[in-house]
Amino acid sequence: MTKNTIKTIIMVVAILLVLALAGGWIAQSVVSKQKEPVYNQAADNAKDGMQVELENNDSGIQFASARIATEDYGKYGVSALAESAYTLNATITPENAPNKNLTWVLSFANPSSSWANGKTPTDYVTVSSSGLRAILSCKKAFGEPIVVTATSDANNTKSATCRLNYKQKITDVTFSFGTMTYSPMDGNFFHNTGLRLADCKIFPTFARNITVDYSVEITRSTVYTVAAGNTSVRFEMLPSKTFTDLLKNLGYNVSGLLTYTFAENTDNSGTVEHYFDAGWAESITGAPLTAETKNELINYIGGKCGVYYQLFCYAGDLAEPVHIYNIYLDFNDVNSEFEIDNVTFDKSEIEF
């Protein structure tokens, strides 16, 4: 092996080692960044409850905030009973300032307001600080904005403020549909007689033109600083994947399968057509319902897949449902139909 060959090998190995070390450093940096919350100059994307509104100015102290996930409460020393929590990081300029200590204080924006009078901010929000970071924990709803002030220990004329608001919440929703009343905020559901059921069951009858009533009632929190406005709720009863897969395997076209969707901005009521009736069955078969196709549906899909539909319940602007109900279809009370071809007697004449 020549000297030039040996030098080439050594250079290649050295380059590979440098690349490996660089890759490891980059990977470690990515992991380290993933462990820390992402700080935004705006309030977190929480839709209701406590919200942080930064009020940065040219005082030399700047804020950045991030919401703390519930599963990370322990890591940040937040009580498990806290309704929500945020980190609030301060930056002091210039960077080479020798004393960067801050004093953190909570106060009501208007202590003499009708709601705040006689109350203490720390009964609603607590602040724990260490250096340039503070942890804000919301204990319960408040009806007057709370101001967080961080003042420089080196120069008490320099400070920054952050305003905390509490956005109105949907505290309860009841949705009555058919014979069932759903309470998605706690997951309960009742029969219209007031009996709590073990399963959300619907009993298809294949009758003609079944129309059922529905109603929506929304209850909102009474203590807040920012009104929720035109808060909406949405309910979608959609076929389960198991059910649609079953229909596809049986050769049915599921593109026309009926779904039931309700979107309400206020308390409301109305009616919905084809509530698991003959029209619903025809949306599966794609043809008028006859005794033969009715019997096929009963035999083919009755009791075959467990969960047939799912009721998704959404509140406000939340992208994820607050609760999902499994809907079972019970075909036990549906009788098969048979065509009568002829009627005959065993004798054509009787003599007395």
Side-chain angles (χ1 to χ4, degrees):
M1 183 179 295
T2 65
K3 289 184 178 180
N4 288 336
T5 303
I6 294 173
K7 287 182 179 180
T8 302
I9 293 174
I10 292 173
M11 289 179 63
V12 171
V13 171
I15 292 171
L16 291 175
L17 287 174
V18 170
L19 291 175
L21 289 172
W25 177 80
I26 293 171
Q28 181 62 35
S29 299
V30 171
V31 170
S32 298
K33 289 181 180 179
Q34 288 176 341
K35 292 180 180 179
E36 291 297 320
V38 177
Y39 295 100
N40 300 312
Q41 292 300 317
D44 181 76
N45 62 354
K47 299 301 182 182
D48 51 24
M50 186 176 78
Q51 297 190 333
V52 177
E53 297 182 6
L54 305 181
E55 300 177 359
N56 287 325
N57 50 42
D58 58 357
S59 67
I61 302 175
Q62 301 293 312
F63 280 145
S65 69
R67 188 179 178 96
I68 300 174
T70 306
E71 58 268 23
D72 292 332
Y73 278 6
K75 174 183 175 181
Y76 290 92
V78 177
S79 168
L81 300 178
E83 184 180 294
S84 60
Y86 287 80
T87 59
L88 190 60
N89 275 20
T91 301
I92 294 179
T93 54
E95 292 185 4
N96 59 355
N99 184 352
K100 292 187 177 182
N101 293 327
L102 297 171
T103 297
W104 301 78
V105 177
L106 294 177
S107 61
F108 284 122
N110 181 8
S112 60
S113 69
S114 58
W115 188 90
N117 188 29
K119 294 183 173 68
T120 304
T122 53
D123 288 338
Y124 303 89
V125 175
T126 60
V127 56
S128 59
S129 61
S130 176
L132 298 177
R133 169 181 282 189
I135 305 297
L136 303 173
S137 300
C138 180
K139 300 164 69 175
K140 54 184 175 180
F142 48 92
E144 174 67 29
I146 295 174
V147 177
V148 183
T149 303
T151 304
S152 169
D153 289 352
N155 183 351
N156 61 14
T157 66
K158 301 297 182 180
S159 63
T161 59
C162 172
R163 189 180 181 94
L164 307 180
N165 273 307
Y166 196 93
K167 189 173 180 181
Q168 188 179 28
K169 289 184 173 184
I170 295 178
T171 57
D172 195 18
V173 176
T174 57
F175 173 54
S176 297
F177 179 44
T179 60
M180 301 288 288
T181 296
Y182 302 90
S183 300
M185 304 304 283
D186 57 20
N188 287 330
F189 52 96
F190 297 84
H191 190 265
N192 61 3
T193 60
L195 175 67
R196 181 172 179 174
L197 301 181
D199 294 313
C200 295
K201 280 188 177 180
I202 293 176
F203 302 88
T205 65
F206 298 101
R208 284 288 169 188
N209 301 326
I210 295 181
T211 300
V212 298
D213 297 327
Y214 74 87
S215 63
V216 178
E217 295 182 9
I218 306 172
T219 305
R220 299 169 179 82
S221 59
T222 57
V223 177
Y224 54 89
T225 66
V226 177
N230 198 16
T231 307
S232 63
V233 295
R234 188 172 83 257
F235 300 91
E236 297 178 353
M237 187 178 287
L238 307 176
S240 69
K241 184 178 184 304
T242 306
F243 184 37
T244 56
D245 286 346
L246 172 65
L247 294 178
K248 289 177 182 177
N249 291 335
L250 293 172
Y252 293 114
N253 183 359
V254 299
S255 60
L257 181 59
L258 287 182
T259 62
Y260 306 93
T261 302
F262 315 88
E264 302 297 343
N265 291 325
T266 58
D267 299 345
N268 210 337
S269 61
T271 58
V272 60
E273 297 180 347
H274 298 305
Y275 183 68
F276 298 99
D277 62 359
W280 170 77
E282 289 170 352
S283 75
I284 298 175
T285 61
L289 189 66
T290 64
E292 181 180 359
T293 55
K294 174 182 176 181
N295 295 340
E296 285 182 356
L297 288 177
I298 296 172
N299 294 329
Y300 292 165
I301 70 175
K304 294 295 193 302
C305 69
V307 178
Y308 286 80
Y309 273 70
Q310 289 183 302
L311 177 63
F312 297 84
C313 307
Y314 300 86
D317 297 327
L318 296 178
E320 297 297 324
V322 295
H323 199 78
I324 302 174
Y325 293 92
N326 290 329
I327 307 297
Y328 304 87
L329 301 184
D330 192 328
F331 294 85
N332 290 330
D333 292 336
V334 184
N335 296 320
S336 299
E337 293 184 9
F338 298 94
E339 298 283 349
I340 303 300
D341 295 328
N342 193 15
V343 177
T344 61
F345 286 130
D346 58 347
K347 293 184 179 180
S348 59
E349 182 177 346
I350 297 177
E351 182 178 337
F352 290 99

